[in-house]
Amino acid sequence: MQRIMKKSKIHTATITGLELYYEGSVTIDRDLMDQADMLPGEQVQIVNLNNGQRFVTYTISGERGSGVIELNGPAARLAAVGDKIIIISYGNYDDAEAKVLEPIVVFVDDENRVVRK
């Protein structure tokens, strides 16, 4: 049996931009993606702490060190600049892998800089 488990997350990131007329996705500082073991094009769930919205999209690599967290396309209507979000990635694991899985949790400050992992 395969289980869908939390693989990693970026906790309390701050939305830095919204780009409505874009094909869709979330742009994330590539350094944060690396810290959270997320790849460009990877499916993620976004949870908006300010308004309760939850949605699924995919990642786009942003400029390293920029702190960018930008919602693109229709998702841009689900948040405001300055909102706090959680970005969660999941993976499929068999029972043995799932039982020993230690998800990565990346905590960031208000400027989306890693403060703890």
Side-chain angles (χ1 to χ4, degrees):
M1 173 172 60
Q2 291 282 301
R3 297 180 187 264
I4 300 172
M5 306 290 292
K6 176 181 74 176
K7 176 179 70 80
S8 63
K9 74 177 180 175
I10 301 170
H11 195 72
T12 62
T14 303
I15 298 289
T16 61
L18 304 167
E19 183 63 46
L20 180 60
Y21 297 105
Y22 194 85
E23 74 180 68
S25 59
V26 58
T27 303
I28 305 171
D29 178 325
R30 185 55 195 248
D31 288 338
L32 289 177
M33 289 177 63
D34 290 348
Q35 289 288 318
D37 188 29
M38 294 177 185
L39 297 175
E42 184 169 344
Q43 179 178 299
V44 291
Q45 181 180 45
I46 307 289
V47 180
N48 187 323
L49 297 171
N50 292 80
N51 65 21
Q53 291 285 339
R54 288 178 169 259
F55 54 94
V56 174
T57 189
Y58 62 92
T59 61
I60 289 181
S61 180
E63 182 181 342
R64 287 187 181 280
S66 66
V68 67
I69 301 286
E70 182 175 275
L71 294 180
N72 305 305
R77 295 222 186 256
L78 302 176
V81 171
D83 280 2
K84 296 290 187 180
I85 63 170
I86 301 169
I87 305 167
I88 309 164
S89 68
Y90 299 90
N92 293 320
Y93 301 90
D94 64 33
D95 278 345
E97 291 171 314
K99 288 177 181 176
V100 298
L101 177 65
E102 293 187 32
I104 297 166
V105 179
V106 178
F107 293 88
V108 296
D109 64 15
D110 289 340
E111 296 179 353
N112 297 322
R113 308 283 183 235
V114 175
V115 293
R116 179 166 48 107
K117 183 174 166 186

